[in-house]
Amino acid sequence: MLSEKTIEIVKATAPVLEVKGKEITTYFYKTMFADHPELLNIFNHANQEKGRQQTALANTVYAAAKYIDQLEVLIPAVKQIGHKHRSLAVKPEHYPIVGQYLLKAIKEVLGEAATDDIINAWAEAYEVIAKVFIDVEAEMYKEASEQAGGWIDFKEFEVVDKKEESAVVTSFYLKPKDGAPLPSYLPGQYITVKLEIPDEEYILNRQYSLSAAPVHDYYRISVKKEMEQKPEGKVSNYLHEHVNVGDTVEVSAPAGDFYLNTESEAPVAFISGGVGITPMMGMLESLAVKKSTRPVVFIHASRNEDVHPFKEETKQWVEQLPNAQSYVKYEQVDGYLTQELLKEIVREDSSCYVCGPAAFMEAVIRQLKANGINEEAIHYEFFGPAMVLEE
């Protein structure tokens, strides 16, 4: 339990952290990695270079300060982050390191304003917050390892098939090298792929949605090849150009809190942009396999037909569903998705699943809300650290 004085001091720092948060987290990562470069084997370097990880942590620190006396409010966010941590093998022993450098960053950025009382209060608060994360993640590690076919951290998988889905997306079919059964997963979840790339100093990790339903004896990921080699495209280019059938990759057990409720019979709308279609394919196939009678609308937006993956597969699953429709919007031909079109084809009582670039999701979610869709019925997934959408 935190003292009243600690709670008061931490809450009082929230407005400052809202303004200075990214400056603090930028300094934090810079100094922590300088002293502990081994942690670069865990963190996504592209997210670091683009500032997304710094922004996500700044949002988390600000929320922790704001709700330090109501930490239960943060549990959904803690679980979302916990899934990512578990899939990357973040462990309890990493938290003291993070705490040390976070306090150092707060002191450095706030300067004389960071009194001993403030630093001591944050040190006390961090211990409590870290314990919440550690406890949540311990349950996730336990669940991942104890399920049928489960494992801890990473395991070797063989690429058993490789299929081009569009001009920029290729699917990789993965099976455990030890022949063990695959743990099931929830349609929409992701795995982490760990690679040692020649001439790269550190191990590189990337999280990819599972793009098929949990009914197969393989995992399928579908990777967009980024045109720029650095920092975004380092792993995707390597997978496309150098990883082939028979090769081995290391994989963590499925994780993630963006998934379809397959038990519901409510109408459902899948709305994806670009490679955001990947988790939707697992969801759609799951409904087709179940022979669901739910009203289903599948909407996909791409720049053009060449970069639109899964055209035939989408058609196959939609045709197996008695109450399903699909729509495609090619930006270079048809323009963007509009509020009017969404109003016309997405029922107000739908559960909506949205995935794609951040700007796409911002626009779609804003339009869905304007059309009367309840916020609780809108679910979305970031490819990378969770950010705040400007809706």
Side-chain angles (χ1 to χ4, degrees), residues 21 31-32 36 42 51 64-65 92 101 104 120 135 174 187 219 245 270 276 295 333 375 385:
T31 54
M32 184 177 70
H36 291 274
I42 297 175
Y101 287 89
K104 182 178 178 180
N120 291 337
D135 289 349
L174 311 172
Y219 288 156
V245 173
F270 303 114
V333 178
E375 187 171 359

Side-chain angles (χ1 to χ4, degrees), residues 55-122:
T55 300
L57 179 59
N59 293 338
T60 302
V61 172
Y62 167 66
K66 186 176 179 181
Y67 296 108
I68 192 63
D69 55 344
Q70 307 171 63
L71 288 178
E72 66 277 3
V73 173
L74 301 178
I75 291 300
V78 170
K79 287 184 175 178
Q80 183 183 60
I81 296 167
H83 277 289
K84 293 185 182 295
H85 284 180
R86 200 276 296 153
S87 75
L88 290 165
V90 172
K91 295 296 178 64
E93 57 265 29
H94 295 130
Y95 279 90
I97 300 172
V98 170
Q100 175 189 346
Y101 287 89
L102 185 58
L103 292 175
K104 182 178 178 180
I106 291 173
K107 194 166 186 176
E108 174 67 25
V109 172
L110 298 189
E112 292 181 0
T115 64
D116 288 346
D117 281 350
I118 287 175
I119 295 301
N120 291 337
W122 262 102

